[in-house]
mmCIF file with all atom_site columns, all heavy atoms in Angstrom:
data_model
loop_
_atom_site.group_PDB
_atom_site.id
_atom_site.type_symbol
_atom_site.label_atom_id
_atom_site.label_alt_id
_atom_site.label_comp_id
_atom_site.label_asym_id
_atom_site.label_entity_id
_atom_site.label_seq_id
_atom_site.pdbx_PDB_ins_code
_atom_site.Cartn_x
_atom_site.Cartn_y
_atom_site.Cartn_z
_atom_site.occupancy
_atom_site.B_iso_or_equiv
_atom_site.pdbx_formal_charge
_atom_site.auth_seq_id
_atom_site.auth_comp_id
_atom_site.auth_asym_id
_atom_site.auth_atom_id
_atom_site.pdbx_PDB_model_num
ATOM 1   N N   . ASN A 1 77 ? 5.987  -43.251 -4.263 1.00 93.00 ? 106 ASN A N   1
ATOM 2   C CA  . ASN A 1 77 ? 4.946  -43.712 -5.220 1.00 93.00 ? 106 ASN A CA  1
ATOM 3   C C   . ASN A 1 77 ? 3.562  -43.732 -4.595 1.00 93.00 ? 106 ASN A C   1
ATOM 4   O O   . ASN A 1 77 ? 2.552  -44.121 -5.301 1.00 93.00 ? 106 ASN A O   1
ATOM 5   C CB  . ASN A 1 77 ? 5.236  -45.116 -5.661 1.00 93.00 ? 106 ASN A CB  1
ATOM 6   C CG  . ASN A 1 77 ? 5.308  -46.026 -4.514 1.00 93.00 ? 106 ASN A CG  1
ATOM 7   O OD1 . ASN A 1 77 ? 5.504  -45.656 -3.333 1.00 93.00 ? 106 ASN A OD1 1
ATOM 8   N ND2 . ASN A 1 77 ? 5.052  -47.411 -4.876 1.00 93.00 ? 106 ASN A ND2 1
ATOM 9   N N   . LYS A 1 78 ? 3.311  -43.104 -3.522 1.00 96.00 ? 107 LYS A N   1
ATOM 10  C CA  . LYS A 1 78 ? 2.058  -43.204 -2.864 1.00 96.00 ? 107 LYS A CA  1
ATOM 11  C C   . LYS A 1 78 ? 1.197  -41.948 -3.271 1.00 96.00 ? 107 LYS A C   1
ATOM 12  O O   . LYS A 1 78 ? 1.656  -40.896 -3.754 1.00 96.00 ? 107 LYS A O   1
ATOM 13  C CB  . LYS A 1 78 ? 2.129  -43.138 -1.209 1.00 96.00 ? 107 LYS A CB  1
ATOM 14  C CG  . LYS A 1 78 ? 3.069  -44.243 -0.811 1.00 96.00 ? 107 LYS A CG  1
ATOM 15  C CD  . LYS A 1 78 ? 2.485  -45.684 -1.216 1.00 96.00 ? 107 LYS A CD  1
ATOM 16  C CE  . LYS A 1 78 ? 3.445  -46.672 -0.664 1.00 96.00 ? 107 LYS A CE  1
ATOM 17  N NZ  . LYS A 1 78 ? 2.974  -48.175 -1.181 1.00 96.00 ? 107 LYS A NZ  1
ATOM 18  N N   . LYS A 1 79 ? -0.072 -41.962 -2.897 1.00 97.00 ? 108 LYS A N   1
ATOM 19  C CA  . LYS A 1 79 ? -0.917 -40.771 -3.118 1.00 97.00 ? 108 LYS A CA  1
ATOM 20  C C   . LYS A 1 79 ? -0.951 -39.894 -1.905 1.00 97.00 ? 108 LYS A C   1
ATOM 21  O O   . LYS A 1 79 ? -1.323 -40.441 -0.774 1.00 97.00 ? 108 LYS A O   1
ATOM 22  C CB  . LYS A 1 79 ? -2.381 -41.279 -3.425 1.00 97.00 ? 108 LYS A CB  1
ATOM 23  C CG  . LYS A 1 79 ? -2.391 -42.063 -4.675 1.00 97.00 ? 108 LYS A CG  1
ATOM 24  C CD  . LYS A 1 79 ? -3.875 -42.598 -4.892 1.00 97.00 ? 108 LYS A CD  1
ATOM 25  C CE  . LYS A 1 79 ? -3.806 -43.562 -6.100 1.00 97.00 ? 108 LYS A CE  1
ATOM 26  N NZ  . LYS A 1 79 ? -5.203 -44.412 -6.181 1.00 97.00 ? 108 LYS A NZ  1
ATOM 27  N N   . ILE A 1 80 ? -0.472 -38.748 -2.010 1.00 97.00 ? 109 ILE A N   1
ATOM 28  C CA  . ILE A 1 80 ? -0.309 -37.776 -0.835 1.00 97.00 ? 109 ILE A CA  1
ATOM 29  C C   . ILE A 1 80 ? -1.512 -37.057 -0.618 1.00 97.00 ? 109 ILE A C   1
ATOM 30  O O   . ILE A 1 80 ? -2.111 -36.374 -1.583 1.00 97.00 ? 109 ILE A O   1
ATOM 31  C CB  . ILE A 1 80 ? 0.792  -36.901 -1.016 1.00 97.00 ? 109 ILE A CB  1
ATOM 32  C CG1 . ILE A 1 80 ? 2.164  -37.627 -1.289 1.00 97.00 ? 109 ILE A CG1 1
ATOM 33  C CG2 . ILE A 1 80 ? 1.063  -36.027 0.268  1.00 97.00 ? 109 ILE A CG2 1
ATOM 34  C CD1 . ILE A 1 80 ? 2.694  -38.537 -0.228 1.00 97.00 ? 109 ILE A CD1 1
ATOM 35  N N   . LEU A 1 81 ? -2.222 -37.007 0.493  1.00 97.00 ? 110 LEU A N   1
ATOM 36  C CA  . LEU A 1 81 ? -3.432 -36.311 0.864  1.00 97.00 ? 110 LEU A CA  1
ATOM 37  C C   . LEU A 1 81 ? -3.034 -35.126 1.783  1.00 97.00 ? 110 LEU A C   1
ATOM 38  O O   . LEU A 1 81 ? -2.378 -35.324 2.786  1.00 97.00 ? 110 LEU A O   1
ATOM 39  C CB  . LEU A 1 81 ? -4.525 -37.203 1.591  1.00 97.00 ? 110 LEU A CB  1
ATOM 40  C CG  . LEU A 1 81 ? -4.827 -38.542 0.828  1.00 97.00 ? 110 LEU A CG  1
ATOM 41  C CD1 . LEU A 1 81 ? -5.686 -39.363 1.607  1.00 97.00 ? 110 LEU A CD1 1
ATOM 42  C CD2 . LEU A 1 81 ? -5.403 -38.165 -0.483 1.00 97.00 ? 110 LEU A CD2 1
ATOM 43  N N   . LEU A 1 82 ? -3.469 -33.929 1.463  1.00 96.00 ? 111 LEU A N   1
ATOM 44  C CA  . LEU A 1 82 ? -3.127 -32.700 2.192  1.00 96.00 ? 111 LEU A CA  1
ATOM 45  C C   . LEU A 1 82 ? -4.402 -31.943 2.534  1.00 96.00 ? 111 LEU A C   1
ATOM 46  O O   . LEU A 1 82 ? -5.324 -31.771 1.655  1.00 96.00 ? 111 LEU A O   1
ATOM 47  C CB  . LEU A 1 82 ? -2.205 -31.828 1.403  1.00 96.00 ? 111 LEU A CB  1
ATOM 48  C CG  . LEU A 1 82 ? -0.875 -32.414 1.095  1.00 96.00 ? 111 LEU A CG  1
ATOM 49  C CD1 . LEU A 1 82 ? -0.282 -31.462 -0.009 1.00 96.00 ? 111 LEU A CD1 1
ATOM 50  C CD2 . LEU A 1 82 ? -0.008 -32.529 2.253  1.00 96.00 ? 111 LEU A CD2 1
ATOM 51  N N   . PRO A 1 83 ? -4.436 -31.419 3.769  1.00 95.00 ? 112 PRO A N   1
ATOM 52  C CA  . PRO A 1 83 ? -5.490 -30.375 4.062  1.00 95.00 ? 112 PRO A CA  1
ATOM 53  C C   . PRO A 1 83 ? -5.457 -29.191 3.090  1.00 95.00 ? 112 PRO A C   1
ATOM 54  O O   . PRO A 1 83 ? -4.472 -28.965 2.565  1.00 95.00 ? 112 PRO A O   1
ATOM 55  C CB  . PRO A 1 83 ? -5.311 -29.975 5.553  1.00 95.00 ? 112 PRO A CB  1
ATOM 56  C CG  . PRO A 1 83 ? -4.354 -30.993 5.979  1.00 95.00 ? 112 PRO A CG  1
ATOM 57  C CD  . PRO A 1 83 ? -3.632 -31.493 4.914  1.00 95.00 ? 112 PRO A CD  1
ATOM 58  N N   . ASP A 1 84 ? -6.471 -28.452 2.939  1.00 93.00 ? 113 ASP A N   1
ATOM 59  C CA  . ASP A 1 84 ? -6.494 -27.268 2.062  1.00 93.00 ? 113 ASP A CA  1
ATOM 60  C C   . ASP A 1 84 ? -5.938 -26.026 2.836  1.00 93.00 ? 113 ASP A C   1
ATOM 61  O O   . ASP A 1 84 ? -6.633 -25.126 3.326  1.00 93.00 ? 113 ASP A O   1
ATOM 62  C CB  . ASP A 1 84 ? -7.926 -26.882 1.681  1.00 93.00 ? 113 ASP A CB  1
ATOM 63  C CG  . ASP A 1 84 ? -7.960 -25.743 0.618  1.00 93.00 ? 113 ASP A CG  1
ATOM 64  O OD1 . ASP A 1 84 ? -6.902 -25.492 0.104  1.00 93.00 ? 113 ASP A OD1 1
ATOM 65  O OD2 . ASP A 1 84 ? -9.118 -25.437 0.215  1.00 93.00 ? 113 ASP A OD2 1
ATOM 66  N N   . HIS A 1 85 ? -4.533 -26.003 3.063  1.00 86.00 ? 114 HIS A N   1
ATOM 67  C CA  . HIS A 1 85 ? -3.841 -25.001 3.769  1.00 86.00 ? 114 HIS A CA  1
ATOM 68  C C   . HIS A 1 85 ? -3.712 -23.702 2.925  1.00 86.00 ? 114 HIS A C   1
ATOM 69  O O   . HIS A 1 85 ? -3.720 -23.801 1.651  1.00 86.00 ? 114 HIS A O   1
ATOM 70  C CB  . HIS A 1 85 ? -2.333 -25.389 3.943  1.00 86.00 ? 114 HIS A CB  1
ATOM 71  C CG  . HIS A 1 85 ? -2.257 -26.490 4.957  1.00 86.00 ? 114 HIS A CG  1
ATOM 72  N ND1 . HIS A 1 85 ? -1.493 -27.646 4.820  1.00 86.00 ? 114 HIS A ND1 1
ATOM 73  C CD2 . HIS A 1 85 ? -2.706 -26.591 6.258  1.00 86.00 ? 114 HIS A CD2 1
ATOM 74  C CE1 . HIS A 1 85 ? -1.429 -28.513 5.910  1.00 86.00 ? 114 HIS A CE1 1
ATOM 75  N NE2 . HIS A 1 85 ? -2.342 -27.849 6.818  1.00 86.00 ? 114 HIS A NE2 1
ATOM 76  N N   . VAL A 1 86 ? -3.771 -22.626 3.597  1.00 86.00 ? 115 VAL A N   1
ATOM 77  C CA  . VAL A 1 86 ? -3.732 -21.284 2.781  1.00 86.00 ? 115 VAL A CA  1
ATOM 78  C C   . VAL A 1 86 ? -2.482 -21.264 2.082  1.00 86.00 ? 115 VAL A C   1
ATOM 79  O O   . VAL A 1 86 ? -1.480 -21.484 2.635  1.00 86.00 ? 115 VAL A O   1
ATOM 80  C CB  . VAL A 1 86 ? -3.922 -20.130 3.785  1.00 86.00 ? 115 VAL A CB  1
ATOM 81  C CG1 . VAL A 1 86 ? -3.641 -18.778 2.988  1.00 86.00 ? 115 VAL A CG1 1
ATOM 82  C CG2 . VAL A 1 86 ? -5.235 -20.225 4.523  1.00 86.00 ? 115 VAL A CG2 1
ATOM 83  N N   . GLY A 1 87 ? -2.566 -20.834 0.792  1.00 86.00 ? 116 GLY A N   1
ATOM 84  C CA  . GLY A 1 87 ? -1.373 -20.675 -0.053 1.00 86.00 ? 116 GLY A CA  1
ATOM 85  C C   . GLY A 1 87 ? -0.887 -21.935 -0.696 1.00 86.00 ? 116 GLY A C   1
ATOM 86  O O   . GLY A 1 87 ? -0.158 -21.860 -1.590 1.00 86.00 ? 116 GLY A O   1
ATOM 87  N N   . SER A 1 88 ? -1.265 -23.156 -0.259 1.00 89.00 ? 117 SER A N   1
ATOM 88  C CA  . SER A 1 88 ? -0.845 -24.457 -0.914 1.00 89.00 ? 117 SER A CA  1
ATOM 89  C C   . SER A 1 88 ? 0.632  -24.743 -1.047 1.00 89.00 ? 117 SER A C   1
ATOM 90  O O   . SER A 1 88 ? 1.128  -25.306 -1.986 1.00 89.00 ? 117 SER A O   1
ATOM 91  C CB  . SER A 1 88 ? -1.530 -24.561 -2.225 1.00 89.00 ? 117 SER A CB  1
ATOM 92  O OG  . SER A 1 88 ? -2.929 -24.603 -2.206 1.00 89.00 ? 117 SER A OG  1
ATOM 93  N N   . ARG A 1 89 ? 1.376  -24.068 -0.058 1.00 91.00 ? 118 ARG A N   1
ATOM 94  C CA  . ARG A 1 89 ? 2.853  -24.196 -0.302 1.00 91.00 ? 118 ARG A CA  1
ATOM 95  C C   . ARG A 1 89 ? 3.323  -25.636 -0.199 1.00 91.00 ? 118 ARG A C   1
ATOM 96  O O   . ARG A 1 89 ? 4.260  -26.127 -1.033 1.00 91.00 ? 118 ARG A O   1
ATOM 97  C CB  . ARG A 1 89 ? 3.600  -23.369 0.810  1.00 91.00 ? 118 ARG A CB  1
ATOM 98  C CG  . ARG A 1 89 ? 5.076  -23.304 0.756  1.00 91.00 ? 118 ARG A CG  1
ATOM 99  C CD  . ARG A 1 89 ? 5.633  -22.451 1.894  1.00 91.00 ? 118 ARG A CD  1
ATOM 100 N NE  . ARG A 1 89 ? 6.755  -23.014 2.263  1.00 91.00 ? 118 ARG A NE  1
ATOM 101 C CZ  . ARG A 1 89 ? 7.308  -22.895 3.503  1.00 91.00 ? 118 ARG A CZ  1
ATOM 102 N NH1 . ARG A 1 89 ? 6.582  -22.132 4.379  1.00 91.00 ? 118 ARG A NH1 1
ATOM 103 N NH2 . ARG A 1 89 ? 8.339  -23.361 3.848  1.00 91.00 ? 118 ARG A NH2 1
ATOM 104 N N   . ILE A 1 90 ? 2.826  -26.469 0.749  1.00 93.00 ? 119 ILE A N   1
ATOM 105 C CA  . ILE A 1 90 ? 3.264  -27.682 0.845  1.00 93.00 ? 119 ILE A CA  1
ATOM 106 C C   . ILE A 1 90 ? 3.059  -28.526 -0.441 1.00 93.00 ? 119 ILE A C   1
ATOM 107 O O   . ILE A 1 90 ? 3.800  -29.363 -1.018 1.00 93.00 ? 119 ILE A O   1
ATOM 108 C CB  . ILE A 1 90 ? 2.570  -28.409 2.097  1.00 93.00 ? 119 ILE A CB  1
ATOM 109 C CG1 . ILE A 1 90 ? 3.213  -27.806 3.379  1.00 93.00 ? 119 ILE A CG1 1
ATOM 110 C CG2 . ILE A 1 90 ? 2.882  -29.909 2.030  1.00 93.00 ? 119 ILE A CG2 1
ATOM 111 C CD1 . ILE A 1 90 ? 2.448  -28.183 4.664  1.00 93.00 ? 119 ILE A CD1 1
ATOM 112 N N   . ALA A 1 91 ? 1.825  -28.514 -0.914 1.00 94.00 ? 120 ALA A N   1
ATOM 113 C CA  . ALA A 1 91 ? 1.335  -29.102 -2.181 1.00 94.00 ? 120 ALA A CA  1
ATOM 114 C C   . ALA A 1 91 ? 2.406  -28.740 -3.243 1.00 94.00 ? 120 ALA A C   1
ATOM 115 O O   . ALA A 1 91 ? 2.709  -29.542 -4.106 1.00 94.00 ? 120 ALA A O   1
ATOM 116 C CB  . ALA A 1 91 ? -0.070 -28.839 -2.535 1.00 94.00 ? 120 ALA A CB  1
ATOM 117 N N   . ASP A 1 92 ? 2.339  -27.414 -3.531 1.00 95.00 ? 121 ASP A N   1
ATOM 118 C CA  . ASP A 1 92 ? 3.254  -26.882 -4.574 1.00 95.00 ? 121 ASP A CA  1
ATOM 119 C C   . ASP A 1 92 ? 4.676  -27.399 -4.576 1.00 95.00 ? 121 ASP A C   1
ATOM 120 O O   . ASP A 1 92 ? 5.256  -28.005 -5.599 1.00 95.00 ? 121 ASP A O   1
ATOM 121 C CB  . ASP A 1 92 ? 3.312  -25.402 -4.532 1.00 95.00 ? 121 ASP A CB  1
ATOM 122 C CG  . ASP A 1 92 ? 1.986  -24.781 -4.827 1.00 95.00 ? 121 ASP A CG  1
ATOM 123 O OD1 . ASP A 1 92 ? 1.137  -25.496 -5.418 1.00 95.00 ? 121 ASP A OD1 1
ATOM 124 O OD2 . ASP A 1 92 ? 1.903  -23.485 -4.534 1.00 95.00 ? 121 ASP A OD2 1
ATOM 125 N N   . VAL A 1 93 ? 5.368  -27.397 -3.308 1.00 93.00 ? 122 VAL A N   1
ATOM 126 C CA  . VAL A 1 93 ? 6.660  -27.868 -3.309 1.00 93.00 ? 122 VAL A CA  1
ATOM 127 C C   . VAL A 1 93 ? 6.684  -29.432 -3.431 1.00 93.00 ? 122 VAL A C   1
ATOM 128 O O   . VAL A 1 93 ? 7.645  -30.005 -4.217 1.00 93.00 ? 122 VAL A O   1
ATOM 129 C CB  . VAL A 1 93 ? 7.336  -27.570 -1.915 1.00 93.00 ? 122 VAL A CB  1
ATOM 130 C CG1 . VAL A 1 93 ? 8.648  -28.286 -1.660 1.00 93.00 ? 122 VAL A CG1 1
ATOM 131 C CG2 . VAL A 1 93 ? 7.479  -26.019 -1.721 1.00 93.00 ? 122 VAL A CG2 1
ATOM 132 N N   . MET A 1 94 ? 5.791  -30.156 -2.929 1.00 92.00 ? 123 MET A N   1
ATOM 133 C CA  . MET A 1 94 ? 5.734  -31.575 -3.171 1.00 92.00 ? 123 MET A CA  1
ATOM 134 C C   . MET A 1 94 ? 5.452  -32.046 -4.515 1.00 92.00 ? 123 MET A C   1
ATOM 135 O O   . MET A 1 94 ? 6.122  -32.837 -5.076 1.00 92.00 ? 123 MET A O   1
ATOM 136 C CB  . MET A 1 94 ? 4.679  -32.172 -2.200 1.00 92.00 ? 123 MET A CB  1
ATOM 137 C CG  . MET A 1 94 ? 5.203  -32.297 -0.781 1.00 92.00 ? 123 MET A CG  1
ATOM 138 S SD  . MET A 1 94 ? 4.113  -33.080 0.368  1.00 92.00 ? 123 MET A SD  1
ATOM 139 C CE  . MET A 1 94 ? 4.585  -34.838 -0.083 1.00 92.00 ? 123 MET A CE  1
ATOM 140 N N   . ARG A 1 95 ? 4.616  -31.357 -5.238 1.00 95.00 ? 124 ARG A N   1
ATOM 141 C CA  . ARG A 1 95 ? 4.441  -31.602 -6.667 1.00 95.00 ? 124 ARG A CA  1
ATOM 142 C C   . ARG A 1 95 ? 5.628  -31.331 -7.388 1.00 95.00 ? 124 ARG A C   1
ATOM 143 O O   . ARG A 1 95 ? 5.985  -32.034 -8.400 1.00 95.00 ? 124 ARG A O   1
ATOM 144 C CB  . ARG A 1 95 ? 3.102  -30.742 -7.186 1.00 95.00 ? 124 ARG A CB  1
ATOM 145 C CG  . ARG A 1 95 ? 1.991  -31.364 -6.677 1.00 95.00 ? 124 ARG A CG  1
ATOM 146 C CD  . ARG A 1 95 ? 0.745  -30.438 -7.164 1.00 95.00 ? 124 ARG A CD  1
ATOM 147 N NE  . ARG A 1 95 ? -0.575 -30.936 -6.628 1.00 95.00 ? 124 ARG A NE  1
ATOM 148 C CZ  . ARG A 1 95 ? -1.524 -30.293 -6.223 1.00 95.00 ? 124 ARG A CZ  1
ATOM 149 N NH1 . ARG A 1 95 ? -1.480 -28.931 -6.256 1.00 95.00 ? 124 ARG A NH1 1
ATOM 150 N NH2 . ARG A 1 95 ? -2.620 -30.821 -5.803 1.00 95.00 ? 124 ARG A NH2 1
#
Side-chain angles (χ1 to χ4, degrees):
N106 62 334
K107 306 301 177 186
K108 296 173 185 171
I109 307 296
L110 306 175
L111 300 167
D113 192 7
H114 291 129
V115 174
S117 299
R118 182 175 144 214
I119 293 172
D121 292 344
V122 170
M123 290 189 73
R124 286 177 178 144

